[in-house]
Amino acid sequence: MSAEAARKLLIGDDGAGTSKLEYFDIEGVAEQVRIAFSVADVPFEDVRIAWSDWGTKKPTTKYGQLPQLILPDGTIVTQSEAMLRLAGAADKQGKLYPDDAKSRLEIDQLLGLVGDFARAWRPCLYIGMRPQAFGHPEKKDWADADKTIEKLRTEFIKNELPRYLEYFAEKHGKDKFLTGDDLTIADIAVYMQIRYFTRGIADYAPKDCVDKYPDSIAYLKRVEEHPKVAEYKKNKA
Ligand SMILES: N[C@@H](CCC(=O)N[C@@H](CS)C(=O)NCC(=O)O)C(=O)O
């Protein structure tokens, strides 16, 4: 999809429309889309849904989930990764998600890899939230809950986290970003996933767990120093 076609979808034929990105007031899976829109210079309405309104809103959404992106023509887009690609395609400079097969193939593989990274962590996180989904009793009736959660998360941080950080470092260790000198949507997705582990959100995933991987820390800094990312972060603060 050309930048022109993507921008038409996002801001209308006359460029005066606005898409509405609805998500919770968290970074979650939508922050990468917010950043990509900002880097691509696509104005959007950043709608934050309060948890207290979610019960009423949920049945009105297509799959009972957010984010959803409402285009100026009323089309409702689901799936943050589809939104990320659309935002990337809308970059007039053609850098975020370049319109050539080779670049896209490289970026798509990295998006797949960061998806694997996120999926690998998910059971470690959700076992603490919904142990029944993994065949365990509810947390209050499960004596070994904390021990099991600690074991899973600690092992992930020890073994899986460095494995994925290494895969990405093989790329950004050579160049400024994952695919070269230009920031792409793969960088935004990978940045968000590594950043998650620096935030100390889950027990047994301490916020200094990435600190012993200096290449990854330096990479996060390079992404944050990208002028458009820095501008987004400054406006958000
Ligand atoms: N694959 C979807 C996942 C969306 C998703 O999991 N949304 C969660 C928040 S991160 C949600 O809406 N949770 C509320 C619920 O399921 O009731 C995407 O990337 O957009």
Side-chain angles (χ1 to χ4, degrees):
M1 187 191 307
S2 68
E4 197 191 346
R7 295 185 81 84
K8 267 192 181 171
L9 282 179
L10 288 164
I11 51 177
D13 288 346
D14 58 0
T18 317
S19 291
K20 214 195 283 187
L21 177 60
E22 295 185 339
Y23 192 56
F24 306 104
D25 192 16
I26 57 171
E27 292 191 356
V29 293
E31 186 71 1
Q32 56 182 353
V33 184
R34 297 180 187 128
I35 296 177
F37 277 148
S38 305
V39 175
D41 279 325
V42 173
F44 69 105
E45 204 182 321
D46 188 0
V47 181
R48 310 284 177 125
I49 306 295
W51 295 112
S52 54
D53 294 333
W54 179 232
T56 326
K57 172 102 183 158
K58 185 175 167 85
T60 71
T61 63
K62 206 163 177 182
Y63 302 121
Q65 288 183 325
L66 292 176
Q68 66 177 7
L69 180 69
I70 303 154
L71 303 180
D73 70 359
T75 304
I76 294 186
V77 181
T78 64
Q79 300 304 327
S80 55
E81 203 178 303
M83 298 171 201
L84 180 68
R85 287 174 211 258
L86 179 60
D91 175 23
K92 277 193 283 197
Q93 292 187 29
K95 292 180 175 174
L96 263 185
Y97 194 35
D99 195 11
D100 68 275
K102 212 169 159 205
S103 303
R104 292 212 166 171
L105 193 56
E106 205 181 346
I107 292 167
D108 288 351
Q109 289 176 74
L110 286 159
L111 289 175
L113 188 62
V114 75
D116 290 345
F117 184 21
R119 265 188 302 281
W121 168 248
R122 220 161 279 159
C124 310
L125 179 70
Y126 284 109
I127 199 161
M129 292 153 83
R130 285 184 234 131
Q132 311 92 298
F134 300 90
H136 296 290
E138 273 186 55
K139 217 168 160 188
K140 63 177 174 50
D141 304 320
W142 182 23
D144 282 342
D146 201 54
K147 225 172 25 178
T148 310
I149 294 164
E150 178 179 8
K151 185 169 186 291
L152 269 180
R153 292 185 187 171
T154 307
E155 281 180 7
F156 182 95
I157 297 299
K158 190 167 155 244
N159 303 317
E160 295 299 289
L161 175 71
R163 185 162 75 86
Y164 282 99
L165 291 182
E166 174 86 40
Y167 293 153
F168 297 121
E170 274 167 23
K171 297 273 187 181
H172 63 65
K174 284 202 297 269
D175 291 305
K176 187 169 177 192
F177 296 116
L178 291 165
T179 60
D181 281 343
D182 295 323
L183 183 94
T184 72
I185 53 170
D187 290 293
I188 298 176
V190 170
Y191 162 77
M192 283 310 302
Q193 192 57 52
I194 302 177
R195 174 181 151 78
Y196 167 86
F197 288 102
T198 68
R199 296 179 69 211
I201 286 174
D203 291 340
Y204 312 113
K207 62 173 170 208
D208 62 359
C209 66
V210 182
D211 285 358
K212 56 178 168 211
Y213 307 102
D215 284 354
S216 301
I217 294 291
Y219 170 67
L220 293 185
K221 194 159 171 283
R222 285 200 296 281
V223 174
E224 282 168 1
E225 282 171 350
H226 180 281
K228 288 282 180 188
V229 177
E231 188 184 315
Y232 169 77
K233 292 209 171 242
K234 198 171 137 218
N235 291 340
K236 190 182 126 176

